Amino acid sequence: MATAVLRAADPDRVPGRRRASDPEVLRGGAWIGVLERTAIAVTVLAGFAEGLAVLIAVKGLGRFNELKAPVASERFIIGTLASGLWALACVGVAQLLSV
């Protein structure tokens, strides 16, 4: 889901601009995304909503140097929001099914 949102928001149509789909833009995002969604689900299911703020802060600090590039910062924000919303939707479905 997050990958589809990132593809839709990709500013590749602008000529001469570094492409968000370039492999060097925020490398390792797929693994980070899996870990992020797992951590979001665990913190919400544990009732520790404050953990979401800690998670986003740690993720931002880990990518701080890479986020200076406009394409990378856009990709980071869009990917983080899409990934987080997907994780929350999955947690919501799991909670509905467990009732």
Side-chain angles (χ1 to χ4, degrees):
M1 179 57 106
T3 305
V5 172
L6 284 170
R7 259 192 234 118
D10 196 352
D12 286 346
R13 297 176 199 98
V14 179
R17 188 171 179 187
R18 189 172 172 199
R19 297 171 59 118
S21 56
D22 286 347
E24 64 270 7
V25 175
L26 297 179
R27 292 179 45 190
W31 281 103
I32 293 170
V34 169
L35 295 172
E36 173 189 9
R37 287 185 291 278
T38 302
I40 288 172
V42 168
T43 58
V44 171
L45 290 171
F48 183 56
E50 298 83 3
L52 296 175
V54 172
L55 175 67
I56 301 302
V58 168
K59 184 179 175 190
L61 287 173
R63 294 281 197 180
F64 183 74
N65 287 333
E66 297 173 274
L67 296 178
K68 294 176 183 173
V71 172
S73 61
E74 291 171 9
R75 185 174 175 90
F76 177 82
I77 293 168
I78 292 168
T80 298
L81 289 174
S83 183
L85 290 174
W86 182 248
L88 292 173
C90 291
V91 167
V93 169
Q95 287 182 334
L96 286 174
L97 292 176
S98 68
V99 173

